[in-house]
Amino acid sequence: MILGLLLLAAVPFGIKLYRGRGGHEASQHKDSYSCPMHPTYVSDKPGSCPICGMNLVKTEKTPAAAPQTAEKTIKFYRNPITLR
């Protein structure tokens, strides 16, 4: 029981410490550069693409883009068996 109370008391302190350091947001504000023709090539400094030679373009990192897993809905459906 004493251990449980200590853990409950430590949670607010941990949250305050996490927010004080900038949390997860601080690590995501790094500049990155990518090739317009080869978006898979990413560099941390400006220059040219080693594949095609184009100038790298500064890209802003977005917070972990979630993959689109939303299910698609069928708007119209026609039964292929009916002959009309």
Side-chain angles (χ1 to χ4, degrees):
M1 182 163 165
I2 295 174
L3 183 61
L5 291 174
L6 286 174
L7 287 174
L8 285 175
V11 169
F13 178 73
I15 292 173
K16 184 178 179 182
L17 183 66
Y18 179 78
R19 288 183 181 164
R21 290 185 184 170
H24 189 59
E25 300 294 323
S27 65
Q28 292 192 2
H29 289 292
K30 267 189 157 177
D31 293 336
S32 64
Y33 298 87
S34 66
C35 176
M37 293 296 291
H38 305 96
T40 55
Y41 179 76
V42 180
S43 176
D44 59 342
K45 54 188 170 215
S48 60
C49 175
I51 301 168
C52 64
M54 289 182 68
N55 291 334
L56 298 179
V57 178
K58 185 175 182 178
T59 56
E60 295 180 5
K61 288 213 174 204
T62 57
Q68 295 180 356
T69 58
E71 293 186 31
K72 296 181 180 180
T73 58
I74 299 173
K75 294 182 181 180
F76 301 102
Y77 178 77
R78 181 174 172 211
N79 189 351
I81 296 178
T82 59
L83 302 173
R84 280 208 221 190

